Amino acid sequence: SELARVNRFPTPGELGASIAHEISQPLGAILSNAEAAQIILDQPAPDIPTLREIVNVIVRNDERASLGAAIPPLVQTPEKTP
């Protein structure tokens, strides 16, 4: 029924909470990885391959945190059933 279809749409509050999570989780990971990179950089002989890997993870998390990446999976419209 139409009511059942409409009930599958997220409420504004649910949508806001989902977007906040999709953005804040990768931002937290970015901070943790940046702090780890700082610790490595403070070493007398920093491990460059490890730093490169950390920076790559930071870039991927930044891409995840972007609104363009976070929103589309959350606002897919359920298909209307006959």
Side-chain angles (χ1 to χ4, degrees), residues 1-78:
S1 79
E2 185 67 16
L3 180 59
R5 187 180 82 77
V6 170
N7 283 335
R8 289 194 302 253
F9 286 101
T11 65
E14 292 170 332
L15 186 58
S18 294
I19 291 170
H21 172 75
E22 291 297 320
I23 293 171
S24 67
Q25 193 282 331
L27 290 178
I30 288 169
L31 178 60
S32 294
N33 283 307
E35 290 170 341
Q38 286 177 325
I39 291 169
I40 292 170
L41 285 169
D42 287 339
Q43 301 300 313
D47 182 349
I48 300 302
T50 299
L51 285 170
R52 183 173 286 114
E53 183 179 334
I54 290 172
V55 169
N56 288 334
V57 171
I58 290 171
V59 169
R60 283 195 306 272
N61 281 316
D62 175 71
E63 291 167 351
R64 282 182 52 211
S66 72
L67 286 177
I71 292 177
L74 300 175
V75 289
Q76 293 176 353
T77 309

